[in-house]
Amino acid sequence: MPHKKLVDSIRLFSSFARGSAGLILRGNRAYWIWLAFLAALIVSGALAWSRQLQIGLGLTAMRDQVSWGFYIGNFTFLVGVAAAAVVLVIPAYIYNWKPIREIVIYGELLATSAIAMCLMFVLVDIGRPDRFWHLIPPFGHLNFPRSVLAWDVLVLNLYFGVNFIVGTHILYRAFHGKSYIKRLVVPLVLLSIPMAVGIHTVTAFLYNGLASRPYWNSSILAPQFLASAFCSGPAILLVVLQLLGRFTRFEIQDAAIWKIAELMAYAMFLNLFLHGAEAFKEFYSGTQHLLFTRYWYFGVNGHYTLVPYAWSAVALNVAAFVLFISPSGRRNVITLNLGCLATYAGCYLEKGMGLIIPGLTPDTLGEIYEYYPTATELRVAAGIFAVGFLLFTLMLKVAVPISLGEFTGRKESSVGVFAGR
Amino acid sequence: MHSTRSITATALFGLSGLALLAAADGAKTPSAAGPERVEVPPPPFSDGIFPCSNCHAGMTPDRQRRELTAMHTDIVLKHDETHRWCLDCHDADNRDFLHLASGERVPFDESYRVCGQCHGEKYRDWRAGVHGRRTGSWNGAQSYLLCAHCHNPHQPRFHALAPKPAPRPPRRQIK
Amino acid sequence: MVTRRLFTKTAAGAAAGMILTACGPKRLYEAPRDKLKARIAEMERKYKEEGKDVKVSDAGPAQGVHFAYALDISRCIGCRRCVYACVAENNQSRDPQIQWIRVLSMEKDRGVDFSHANAYYHPAEVPEEGHFYIPVSCQQCENPPCTKVCPTGATWAEKDGIVVIDYDWCIGCRYCMAACPYGARHFNWTEPGLPAGELNPNTHYLGNRPRSKGVVEKCTFCIQRTRAGRYPACVEVCPVGARKFGNVLDPESEIRYIIEHKRVLVLKEELNTVPRFFYFYAT
């Protein structure tokens, strides 16, 4: 009887909801300190944003000359992080490599949190957030297919949907002691591979397609985005997985971690190579377009704000590559984590500020306005990161016990936790 | 007399030109070629200086090229002054007129014809509306100014202007 | 298989969508004339409530008209009177300062070179020795990079060539500002500061009507004047007559004369934006 099924579903879901709430509200001191820290950042960010809503984007350091800045830089970086889930999916599903199978779900949860942060960064960056619905047909009008931003809106939300559906489906089914529906999950997961490449390619095309900005108008941009994405996302994941292994009964195979680090090393090599190729083209051809690259690495006309960040990014990325390219570097827990940190920081610098600001400085009429974020921007960005981390933390708080079989709504187990049907 | 005939001819041309202008719906730009008269605001005379015949009617013209000492000493000629002097443009016999190289008398409100003798390209551009300032409609009646409205015919080189304020450079702090 | 339930659900969804789109605010782009008039009356009413007594024109593009502009860089002396005439005519914010025209001082021995241009020159007198001046504002391109990137379709090129912005539809994402090679678009980073006594009440719905914070604006060839047949404010105020404007489709226009007899050039032609703003040397 359909009526009984509906009642059953609601009952099951409410037990899941209640159970999840219980999990979330139970934790050790480290957990609560972490949550309090995130809450503080969120409150600070919310206050800063409300002031920005009142007074306008003039509270940021962005002006006509540099009309995109910290918010969009973070957005770009996080799209890369979201795309990185594919680094796990490919070995797991294409090469059917078992050690990674169990952790694909965490890549998807990371992707979901990252996309949520991306959407938040866009929301705080636009001049009229109250009009964001102008983008949503049929209420609004999406300039598809001419505007690359319209494409980005579509693929980001689609990717969000795919990851959210697959992640929650697998977990919820595992909660029930049921295996996930292969017919639903496997095609979506396989779809997420080209989609991951797609979201970051489209985001790269946002910049790539603008003839007015020679620094961005380079064919190398899309491949370079993907290369740096495939190192930065897994960097976070590796740290998180080790933390999970430390603080929960979750066990992750060393082989999985080492394999991911190895893939990151190759991605970082590609990233460095592509940056090098770009630098060669600019410096050797020596046209006026060199000005932007020059501003980033060496400063121009007495303006040096970004130079320390440029070389830090290079040093961090090279160090990360050196650490990860050797198997012993990957296996040593200290160098492994140093490498992750270096990757994350290096990619964050060169993808965030290192992409946006030099692209807009000097501006189209040759003027140099030195942009660096204001306190408002830093607070709002920190708040958004905190929301993302909070989402990820809470999702993990429920997902890990499910994967360990500790949090379950089933009466007795008859199948493995993450088995497909 | 030759000059009387040319004055009549000019007047006739002028009248027909005027009629043409008046008849045209939203006066069309007069063509670059052709002697059509152009409608302009009154010439920028200094106060009380015109009509010149008030003083000059009774005087005998002195055609000797010299530096003036008795009157008009405030006018310093810096306009091809090595080769030209006053009476090369001003009509010696009737100071209420200018004259062309042919001797044809030209009234002050057609002084563009005098300037156009040497500055033919500018004259052609001015007739087309491309040289000089214009106000009005792009598809209708437009104003023309005389050369003399912007260029002092005795010292035509523009003086430098004080520029309006530079834009404010972008600042991190607003207010 | 289409069950009755499926059909009803789909129909209901479509109906809701249509109702919402029909009732909700829409773009001004290609708004039908009667709706446009109603919207504009609504605009005027709202402005009045805010204490801004303006008239908003709904003049559309005329047939057989495609505007073009020509600027004589052998004449421009960099006096900036065009900048301030534009600011006054088009109700630009005074504080924070928005100026649709930017006059660049360039060095004669470098020629037109943006990497050595200076917009902040302030000598006692202009023109300065060894410098020439290039004012830059929206080039009203025929292949505009800005209109193709707008995600909501809030900016488009009208039939008479003017690229316009629907200030009520723009979400302020500033993608168009990144796309413009001429730095012609400006953003309202805060609420525009316009003293009441300096408001120009003759406005156009796509032009100089008062804007709010968070939207992009730019030169519209003084659409409120040019669609009424007049010259833009900058053309009229220029003391040396360096600015020329007209209908490029009219063989008798000044613009066609300039194209024929003077040598015109455009800025950044390699970007293929096909600007309708020409620069030329009359001498």
Side-chain angles (χ1 to χ4, degrees):
Chain A
M1 270 157 281
H3 189 249
K4 182 166 189 299
K5 261 196 125 169
L6 181 65
V7 169
D8 271 342
S9 307
I10 294 180
R11 196 178 292 141
L12 273 166
F13 185 76
S14 81
S15 85
F16 172 76
R18 273 182 283 118
S20 303
L23 280 169
I24 288 170
L25 293 171
R26 247 183 299 132
N28 59 13
R29 227 160 58 114
Y31 175 70
W32 286 110
I33 291 178
W34 172 241
L35 246 50
F37 173 65
L38 292 178
L41 286 179
I42 292 173
V43 168
S44 149
L47 287 172
W49 188 42
S50 83
R51 197 150 167 268
Q52 185 186 286
L53 284 174
Q54 259 184 296
I55 296 183
L57 283 164
L59 280 180
T60 69
M62 293 186 279
R63 296 290 175 262
D64 285 355
Q65 287 79 354
V66 178
S67 50
W68 275 344
F70 196 53
Y71 294 151
I72 294 294
N74 281 305
F75 160 81
T76 312
F77 175 72
L78 288 168
V79 174
V81 167
V86 81
V87 176
L88 304 178
V89 168
I90 291 180
Y93 284 83
I94 306 289
Y95 293 103
N96 216 7
W97 201 52
K98 282 284 179 315
I100 282 201
R101 265 294 179 99
E102 285 93 43
I103 55 181
V104 172
I105 187 79
Y106 301 110
E108 278 157 0
L109 294 181
L110 177 66
T112 312
S113 319
I115 299 278
M117 286 194 270
C118 289
L119 298 174
M120 283 187 276
F121 269 114
V122 170
L123 191 67
V124 302
D125 183 68
I126 60 179
R128 294 296 300 254
D130 57 315
R131 291 183 184 172
F132 83 91
W133 60 270
H134 287 190
L135 286 165
I136 306 174
F139 319 106
H141 173 92
L142 194 63
N143 187 11
F144 181 87
R146 288 207 86 206
S147 168
V148 184
L149 204 48
W151 281 79
D152 218 17
V153 165
L154 284 176
V155 297
L156 281 181
N157 283 292
L158 211 60
Y159 187 70
F160 180 80
V162 164
N163 278 288
F164 185 73
I165 289 173
V166 170
T168 50
H169 172 85
I170 292 182
L171 286 172
Y172 196 52
R173 297 282 293 197
F175 172 74
H176 287 308
K178 297 214 199 108
S179 26
Y180 60 81
I181 303 173
K182 272 205 170 113
R183 250 181 328 126
L184 170 68
V185 169
V186 174
L188 281 181
V189 165
L190 291 178
L191 177 67
S192 77
I193 299 174
M195 280 218 73
V197 173
I199 60 169
H200 220 26
T201 306
V202 172
T203 305
F205 283 174
L206 272 184
Y207 303 104
N208 203 347
L210 301 181
S212 53
R213 310 288 174 175
Y215 186 70
W216 293 339
N217 191 216
S218 146
S219 339
I220 221 174
L221 207 64
Q224 189 262 309
F225 264 41
L226 286 166
S228 78
F230 292 163
C231 9
S232 46
I236 306 177
L237 213 51
L238 282 185
V239 172
V240 167
L241 291 171
Q242 290 175 80
L243 286 172
L244 288 180
R246 205 39 158 62
F247 289 106
T248 69
R249 270 179 284 259
F250 179 76
E251 267 171 38
I252 177 166
Q253 293 194 36
D254 282 341
I257 295 208
W258 297 338
K259 183 55 79 184
I260 294 173
E262 184 188 343
L263 294 174
M264 280 169 62
Y266 302 144
M268 180 54 85
F269 169 74
L270 206 53
N271 189 29
L272 290 170
F273 175 70
L274 292 173
H275 273 302
E278 186 73 6
F280 169 78
K281 170 241 183 181
E282 292 298 358
F283 283 100
Y284 190 80
S285 316
T287 69
Q288 279 203 357
H289 294 172
L290 170 58
L291 215 49
F292 308 97
T293 311
R294 237 174 185 284
Y295 175 68
W296 170 237
Y297 286 115
F298 300 107
V300 159
N301 280 349
H303 295 109
Y304 302 112
T305 311
L306 294 181
V307 175
Y309 298 106
W311 293 104
S312 305
V314 172
L316 287 165
N317 282 340
V318 170
F321 172 69
V322 164
L323 286 173
F324 278 5
I325 198 63
S326 73
S328 50
R330 299 195 286 267
R331 282 159 211 231
N332 177 313
V333 77
I334 295 180
T335 53
L336 174 72
N337 285 296
L338 274 179
C340 286
L341 232 54
T343 306
Y344 184 83
C347 288
Y348 181 72
L349 286 172
E350 54 108 332
K351 196 73 155 300
M353 296 284 279
L355 172 77
I356 308 296
I357 310 308
L360 300 171
T361 315
D363 79 347
T364 51
L365 300 180
E367 177 177 347
I368 294 185
Y369 164 68
E370 289 222 272
Y371 166 91
Y372 54 97
T374 59
T376 302
E377 289 171 280
L378 293 171
R379 285 171 62 191
V380 171
I384 293 176
F385 269 102
V387 171
F389 276 110
L390 183 65
L391 273 174
F392 192 46
T393 305
L394 297 181
M395 285 196 286
L396 285 179
K397 205 74 167 64
V398 173
V400 172
I402 291 180
S403 70
L404 291 174
E406 293 172 4
F407 176 42
T408 171
R410 63 177 188 259
K411 304 295 181 260
E412 53 182 88
S413 73
S414 52
V415 292
V417 173
F418 283 152
R421 169 167 57 81
Chain B
M1 226 193 104
H2 175 72
S3 40
T4 330
R5 251 194 298 168
S6 41
I7 292 174
T8 327
T10 317
L12 275 173
F13 267 127
L15 280 171
S16 55
L18 257 176
L20 220 73
L21 279 170
D25 178 15
K28 282 214 98 129
T29 308
S31 72
E36 289 157 13
R37 189 176 179 285
V38 179
E39 199 59 47
V40 292
F45 290 123
S46 321
D47 284 334
I49 206 83
F50 190 83
C52 313
S53 49
N54 281 348
C55 290
H56 283 273
M59 295 187 201
T60 330
D62 179 356
R63 288 189 164 80
Q64 182 60 40
R65 191 188 154 136
R66 65 196 183 282
E67 204 170 297
L68 301 177
T69 47
M71 262 301 280
H72 301 307
T73 47
D74 51 327
I75 298 179
V76 178
L77 191 63
K78 279 216 190 106
H79 192 179
D80 197 22
E81 65 276 11
T82 20
H83 304 109
R84 303 187 168 285
W85 81 304
C86 324
L87 294 182
D88 287 320
C89 292
H90 290 271
D91 190 72
D93 298 315
N94 189 338
R95 296 302 162 85
D96 288 340
F97 287 87
L98 304 160
H99 69 91
L100 302 180
S102 60
E104 180 186 339
R105 272 207 201 118
V106 169
F108 276 97
D109 56 1
E110 286 176 45
S111 53
Y112 47 83
R113 295 177 59 203
V114 179
C115 312
Q117 295 178 107
C118 292
H119 302 285
E121 241 186 39
K122 301 277 191 298
Y123 177 50
R124 186 186 72 201
D125 288 349
W126 174 82
R127 291 188 75 93
V130 165
H131 180 100
R133 184 178 170 187
R134 310 189 74 191
T135 52
S137 316
W138 55 268
N139 66 350
Q142 290 132 341
S143 71
Y144 280 88
L145 296 170
L146 282 173
C147 316
H149 280 115
C150 294
H151 303 276
N152 179 341
H154 307 127
Q155 288 191 26
R157 184 168 278 259
F158 276 162
H159 292 187
L161 278 182
K164 292 256 173 181
R168 269 182 251 140
R171 291 182 328 272
R172 282 171 68 77
Q173 302 304 324
I174 45 158
K175 298 183 233 293
Chain C
M1 196 189 57
V2 182
T3 60
R4 225 180 336 173
R5 258 179 84 196
L6 180 63
F7 177 78
T8 330
K9 254 191 355 192
T10 323
M18 282 195 289
I19 291 171
L20 283 159
T21 4
C23 298
K26 284 168 68 170
R27 317 189 282 157
L28 289 167
Y29 178 67
E30 284 179 352
R33 286 274 348 135
D34 51 338
K35 291 257 169 59
L36 184 61
K37 287 207 183 304
R39 301 271 314 267
I40 286 178
E42 180 65 27
M43 265 182 224
E44 286 178 344
R45 197 184 57 77
K46 279 222 194 83
Y47 281 132
K48 212 168 181 145
E49 277 172 19
E50 295 167 17
K52 301 179 187 136
D53 205 354
V54 295
K55 269 197 298 294
V56 181
S57 156
D58 63 349
Q63 279 271 40
V65 172
H66 196 101
F67 292 121
Y69 206 111
L71 198 147
D72 186 351
I73 51 182
S74 67
R75 293 270 179 282
C76 177
I77 52 171
C79 70
R80 294 201 185 101
R81 276 148 177 76
C82 50
V83 175
Y84 290 92
C86 172
V87 166
E89 170 70 27
N90 290 296
N91 294 323
Q92 285 157 52
S93 169
R94 309 299 196 263
D95 186 21
Q97 185 190 68
I98 294 184
Q99 294 178 339
W100 289 353
I101 302 175
R102 207 158 180 79
V103 184
L104 301 173
S105 159
M106 304 209 181
E107 296 161 48
K108 280 186 178 165
D109 49 14
R110 282 190 202 270
V112 179
D113 178 358
F114 287 107
S115 64
H116 293 96
N118 176 20
Y120 300 102
Y121 62 95
H122 55 281
E125 283 181 337
V126 283
E128 305 158 275
E129 182 85 32
H131 287 85
F132 67 100
Y133 302 89
I134 296 211
V136 181
S137 50
C138 175
Q139 311 280 290
Q140 314 290 355
C141 308
E142 273 191 9
N143 183 20
C146 55
T147 55
K148 71 178 170 210
V149 297
C150 175
T152 55
T155 180
W156 64 89
E158 291 266 293
K159 289 208 175 65
D160 53 2
I162 305 181
V163 178
V164 297
I165 299 169
D166 179 351
Y167 306 118
D168 294 330
W169 197 250
C170 172
I171 62 173
C173 74
R174 308 187 299 292
Y175 197 11
C176 58
M177 291 176 69
C180 175
Y182 307 105
R185 285 173 168 260
H186 307 273
F187 189 67
N188 285 284
W189 298 99
T190 59
E191 200 62 45
L194 185 57
E198 298 183 39
L199 179 69
N200 173 11
N202 298 312
T203 69
H204 188 278
Y205 76 103
L206 293 171
N208 62 335
R209 65 184 174 98
R211 282 78 69 189
S212 64
K213 78 172 189 290
V215 297
V216 174
E217 57 180 63
K218 66 176 191 64
C219 163
T220 55
F221 272 178
C222 276
I223 196 172
Q224 68 279 4
R225 293 177 140 229
T226 51
R227 285 195 176 165
R230 298 171 62 196
Y231 282 126
C234 49
V235 171
E236 292 208 333
V237 84
C238 176
V240 299
R243 289 169 168 273
K244 299 296 164 194
F245 179 85
N247 174 10
V248 79
L249 298 176
D250 173 9
E252 311 276 302
S253 66
E254 291 145 21
I255 298 293
R256 289 286 284 272
Y257 180 93
I258 290 168
I259 291 174
E260 175 63 34
H261 294 105
K262 311 294 172 192
R263 292 289 70 79
V264 301
L265 61 99
V266 295
L267 299 176
K268 307 198 186 189
E269 77 285 350
E270 74 278 8
L271 301 183
N272 201 28
T273 53
V274 194
R276 291 295 84 180
F277 199 111
F278 300 108
Y279 292 86
F280 69 102
Y281 306 88
T283 32

